[in-house]
Amino acid sequence: MRHLRNSIRGSARPPAPTAQGGGLLPARHLAVAWSLIVLITVPAWVLTVGQARDMGVEPGTMGLALPLFLVLWVTMMAAMMLPSMAPVALTWVRGIGARSSGWSRAGRTLEFVAGYLLVWTVFGLLAYTALHITGDLVDDHPAAGRWIGSVAFLLAGLYQLGPLKNVCLRHCRDPMSQLVRYAGFRRPARDLRVGIHHGGYCVGCCAGLMVVLVPLGVMNVAAMAGLATVIFVEKLWSRGPLLARTVGVVFLVLAVLAPFQDWLLPGLQEATPSMDGM
């Protein structure tokens, strides 16, 4: 990984890959890398929207068994997260692919993505547990949904404004120092390990935003699209940290309103009909 180390040390001010990732790869390689991301992201969105049309918005785990829930969860995360983490992947590919052919480069990129999604799968286990608990509470005590939603928005808002969010977002916006560390990872499965490591930071960056899927509904396409946009802009826009704090304040306001505004809690109310049934 001498090529990656030297390219970083030779610059007085390392560029932020998430802001300028396109300039780190030749045009032909950039097109191939982005094509892979698109080939994964677009089908993931198509599958996610299709499932949402069939299922509608329901409390809890929507009656799904854990394996099926995890399949849907990973599909959702691929749809929502891959566009925002693509520049980091491209930067890593630039470093490890200097001596690789096109297909080898593509394979390493896919290994990186697999490690990244593995972390989100583990997070999905936690999400399933939380949704199962809240779903049972709402079934037994429907009025409790208002307070569960309020607590969810409160936790999300506090997390957005907290120090862990700031640390993880800083990494996701400018991961060059971490990429130097990654260059020292040894084989085997080096790219998988890099994906897992970066995925951990990404979970830390987005955990607060994921919490609001409890009140908004896991299969709420509008909520997913909105959160995906926030995640993308937080990581790529020059004022992303300001947006993160602004969203945190909005969540705190929603925490106050949630007990009195049922429209804020579609994921904690009686099941709404699917799009096909409307």
Side-chain angles (χ1 to χ4, degrees), residues 37-217:
I37 297 297
V38 171
L39 286 174
I40 297 172
T41 303
V42 172
W45 270 111
V46 171
L47 290 173
T48 299
V49 173
Q51 287 296 323
R53 289 177 61 87
D54 293 336
M55 299 174 64
V57 180
E58 300 181 20
T61 61
M62 301 162 290
L64 296 174
L66 177 59
L68 180 56
F69 176 87
L70 289 179
V71 171
L72 293 177
W73 177 263
V74 171
T75 302
M76 288 169 51
M77 293 306 103
M80 295 174 64
M81 304 297 171
L82 290 184
S84 65
M85 58 80 68
V88 179
L90 300 184
T91 305
W92 177 245
V93 170
R94 175 66 178 90
I96 68 173
R99 303 174 184 175
S100 303
S101 63
W103 282 111
S104 177
R105 190 191 306 272
R108 291 187 176 190
T109 302
L110 291 177
E111 187 176 343
F112 175 92
V113 171
Y116 181 85
L117 293 179
L118 178 61
V119 177
W120 279 105
T121 302
V122 174
F123 187 76
L125 293 172
L126 300 177
Y128 184 87
T129 301
L131 290 168
H132 183 74
I133 293 172
T134 57
D136 287 346
L137 286 174
V138 172
D139 288 341
D140 295 337
H141 308 284
R146 297 183 177 185
W147 302 105
I148 294 173
S150 180
V151 170
F153 282 122
L154 176 63
L155 292 176
L158 293 176
Y159 190 90
Q160 284 288 112
L161 298 171
L164 182 58
K165 166 75 177 192
N166 184 58
V167 169
C168 293
L169 182 59
R170 186 167 60 246
H171 167 92
C172 292
R173 287 175 56 83
D174 187 11
M176 290 299 286
S177 60
Q178 290 296 329
L179 290 174
V180 174
R181 176 186 175 187
Y182 295 159
F185 284 8
R186 296 181 178 180
R187 295 179 183 271
R190 176 172 55 196
D191 304 315
L192 180 68
R193 292 170 58 200
V194 172
I196 291 173
H197 191 273
H198 181 66
Y201 274 101
C202 192
V203 167
C205 183
C206 305
L209 298 172
M210 295 298 104
V211 169
V212 301
L213 289 177
V214 172
L216 297 179

Side-chain angles (χ1 to χ4, degrees), residues 20-31:
Q20 305 175 32
L24 297 177
L25 281 174
R28 181 171 61 86
H29 295 159
L30 180 65

Side-chain angles (χ1 to χ4, degrees), residues 160 229-230 233-234 237 239-248:
Q160 284 288 112
T229 301
V230 170
V233 176
E234 276 186 352
W237 189 33
R239 298 185 180 179
L242 175 60
L243 174 64
R245 293 191 293 271
T246 301
V247 171

